[in-house]
Amino acid sequence: ELMTGYTMLRNGGVGNGGQPWVLRWSSRIRLTWLSFTLFIILVFFPLIAHYYLTTLDDADDAGKRIFGPRTGNELCEVKHVQDLCRIRESVSEELLQLEAKRQELNSEIAKLNLKIEACKKSIENAKQDLLQLKNVISQTEHSYKELMAQNQPKLSLPIRLLPDKDDVTFPLPKSNRNCRLHNCFDYSRCPLTSGFPVYVYNSDDYPFGSSLDPLIKQAFEATVRTNVYVTENANIACVYIILVGEMQESVMPKPTELEQQLHSLPYWRTDGHNHLIINLSRKSETQNFIYNISTGRAMIAQSTFYDVQYRPGFDIVVSPLVHAMSEPNFLEIPPQVPVKRKYLFSFQGEKIESLRSSLQEVRSFEEEIEGNAPADYDDRIITTLKAVQDSKLDFVLVEFTCKNQPKASLPTEWALCGERDDRLELLKLSTFALIITPGDTHLVISAGCTMRLFEALEVGAIPVVLGEQVQLPYNDVIRWNEAALIIPKPRITEVHFLLRSISDNDLLAMRRQGRFLWETYFSTSDNVFSTVLAIIRTRIQIPAAPIREETAVEIPHRSGKAAGTDPNMADNGDLDLGPVETEPPYASPKYLRNFTLTAMDIYRNWNSAPGPFHLFPYTPFDPVLPSEAKFLGSGTGFRPIGGGAGGSGKEFQAALGGNVPREQFTVVMLTYEREEVLMNSLERLNGLPYLNKVVVVWNSPKLPSEDLLWPDIGVPIMVVRTEKNSLNNRFLPWDEIETEAILSIDDDAHLRHDEIMFGFRVWREARDRIVGFPGRYHAWDIPHQSWLYNSNYSCELSMVLTGAAFFHKYYAYLYSYVMPQAIRDMVDEYINCEDIAMNFLVSHLTRKPPIKVTSRWTFRCPGCPQALSHDDSHFHERHKCINFFVKVYGYMPLLYTQFRVDSVLFKTRLPHDKTKCFKFI
């Protein structure tokens, strides 16, 4: 068809039907182009317009913006658009003004919030100040009422009056035998507040000084240099002391020469009043050369006295000075157990002269005997003891003839046999040691008898003294019946029955008391000299000098770092810790019985110590132990401090309660180059109730970092510098510790506040014991026959580690100044065992086990550096320590207990108004 049309066009459209066909084809062509044109317009024109709209608006020339938006002024050319623009500008200005006002109001609100917080703090501070004032007023009113009730206002000490240089002489008694304190002692030289000054003559300044035994002289001089009562100012002295023996027989002066030398002493003052003549004996054969010397009003202290020479309550019977320049070797002293030994009793001695022969030879002595001579029971004693030995009922050893030459002795006295070491070996095998007093009853005590007594007590043989007339050493202040048996000679036939009837418990008690007496008053020259001075001071009722405290040398440190809050301690559950302290650190009340103590309880202080460590003749510490409070509470006017507070009806959280309701404690923390651990431990003490202060014992020679910032925990932190790295520094009685209660805690110990408060409350109920958290026990190793230290979990314990424990400051004095030095040396050698040593000491003194609180068995903080206790040798050293301490004490003082103290408030949820009880389970 196309070809046909083409042909027709080429021919000019002539032909049949050509004109209509052309018209039809033309119309079709127009429609096609029209459709194509519309398509192009509808599709490409929008695309082109879009292109121009997106490209031409970016031109720099604003006039070239053909399709871009016009400015506001251009749009506002229209009237209604201008109105809208004005409205928009007005609204924008108002919004800006409102935003400025909003910001201003927010600023004022923030300032008001700060003022509100400041007001709240001021209110809280005012409340605390008000509460503090109320407490002060209440305490003042209570003190006033107490003083008014007692009618004993506190008085200041009187002014000390010094004695006149020229003493006014007063008449001598009719006989020197009648000398007593009231007629031969000048009290005006010894005021109550004088401090008991003692002047000691230098023996080298006098001729008799060259005759003194060198060992005794050297020991005496060493003791004098360290004694707290000795003064170099003779003008203010209360007592004057001169050493005259023991003398060497080869150079001993004549009695008349010695008497002249004594009377020529610069402060003798014609009659020797307030003088003490000391004649110490190191041997059993020491002679009584003072017997024929006129001593005037001077007191005499020696080991040998005749009844015509001894003035009771004035002269002093002293023990022999065996260990003149050496300390006792505790490793050589036998243990106190087993109670019964090989021999029931033993005796070795030889009697040189009988009573009758001595009376015939010593004419000067016979002239002074009044009446008939007493019967001589020695023959009956020999016969009876030999019969007991031959009966074989018990093993006994009695020898009345020495194998070697006996020691020299006084007439009618039983001389010692053999050497000292041989005698001690026999006594170590003897349960009892017989001491037969001289047949001459006028010889009230001899050096030989005191030597036998000394050796028996030293090795734990219970002395059996035959002869009730004897005056044992320090007999006016020591109850000898608690450590020895004193039996009249006529009862010699009943001695065997009596010794067999004594129970094992009584035997051990007497042996322990004897060990106490030996170590406290006999063992060293210091003990002998201090005991002599203490007897005189007690007789004239002058209070003892307070025992020294360790001066704390503070290390300067910066504080001010805000202490953080440990969530473990902030969460105390339902347990109320008690009333929040709002008053400043409060020291424990001072001990006010110094003056009445000398007039009361003399025997109790000298004799009732439960073990061989006792601070008398020094005043040990200010506070009163519970045992003293219990004793004094009957008929002596003792009133507990703050009595009346607390008691029935007081809620647990409303008051601390007890007989001392106002009390705080001191934390003592030992540390060594662990600053970060220490800072964390100090921060955990922030907000702890009843905390007085924290004493940080810096045990390292390297001082803390200068840039170290110490936390501010609301109480003083005292950093104390030590002389050397020693674990014994933990228990030094620092003068900065002003409270009775001490919480000894390691620098890595992690205890919650409620646990500490609970331990404090428990300690207040048992102030004489160690109260703490980690318990340990000792065990007997049967295969090796030795003691072991055990830290396994157990229902039974015998020790509480002092890394987290409360104890009384009293024990810090005992540990540092009274406990044998050998124990502290052991602690320094191993750098270990100080906690075991403290447990030994307290259990030995109180005969009570420690108290464990809560179920805590460990107390180390998680993530802290490794401590010494993780060393492999730690437990081996502690085994050795326990066995060594047992040798020093002579027995195992630790006691087992299954008693543990928990609070029901730890586990039982009680309503707030029901927590009125404090129970032990």
Side-chain angles (χ1 to χ4, degrees), residues 200 214-228 230 243 321 324-327 525-526 529:
V200 180
L215 288 179
I216 287 185
K217 180 180 176 181
Q218 186 178 358
F220 183 78
E221 291 176 351
T223 299
V224 167
R225 285 194 297 268
T226 59
N227 194 274
V228 297
V230 174
L243 178 68
L321 190 59
M325 290 302 296
S326 62
E327 293 288 335
S525 58
D526 287 341
F529 185 67

Side-chain angles (χ1 to χ4, degrees), residues 436-613:
I436 304 177
T437 58
D440 183 3
T441 55
H442 294 278
L443 184 61
V444 295
I445 190 63
S446 65
C449 286
T450 57
M451 184 64 68
R452 289 182 181 273
L453 180 67
F454 181 95
E455 293 177 351
L457 296 176
E458 181 178 5
V459 296
I462 300 173
V464 179
V465 182
L466 295 178
E468 79 284 1
Q469 80 284 355
V470 68
Q471 298 289 333
L472 296 180
Y474 321 125
N475 63 306
D476 54 342
V477 291
I478 291 180
R479 292 175 182 165
W480 278 107
N481 59 346
E482 296 181 357
L485 295 174
I486 303 176
I487 303 174
K489 287 185 177 181
R491 294 191 180 275
I492 183 60
T493 58
E494 302 171 322
V495 168
H496 186 206
F497 165 78
L498 178 61
L499 299 185
R500 295 189 66 183
S501 63
I502 299 177
S503 65
D504 289 353
N505 290 337
D506 292 338
L507 288 176
L508 183 58
M510 296 181 70
R511 184 171 294 164
R512 290 180 59 250
Q513 183 67 11
R515 176 76 174 266
F516 155 64
L517 295 176
W518 179 78
E519 289 190 358
T520 308
Y521 309 120
F522 289 67
S523 58
T524 65
S525 58
D526 287 341
N527 292 340
V528 173
F529 185 67
S530 298
T531 302
V532 170
L533 294 185
I535 290 176
I536 299 176
R537 182 185 51 74
T538 305
R539 286 175 177 176
I540 61 178
Q541 300 180 350
I542 293 181
I547 192 169
R548 69 182 180 92
E549 291 188 306
E550 201 70 21
T551 303
V553 179
E554 184 178 7
I555 299 177
H557 60 280
R558 295 189 304 150
S559 60
K561 174 184 176 184
T565 301
D566 191 331
N568 292 329
M569 290 178 291
D571 182 13
N572 288 314
D574 291 335
L575 180 65
D576 290 307
L577 301 182
V580 178
E581 287 286 300
T582 58
E583 54 186 285
Y586 170 75
S588 297
K590 296 296 182 182
Y591 187 59
L592 300 178
R593 291 192 63 244
N594 287 331
F595 291 96
T596 57
L597 182 65
T598 59
M600 301 169 53
D601 315 324
I602 293 178
Y603 280 96
R604 186 172 64 89
N605 284 283
W606 283 80
N607 298 276
S608 63
F613 303 128

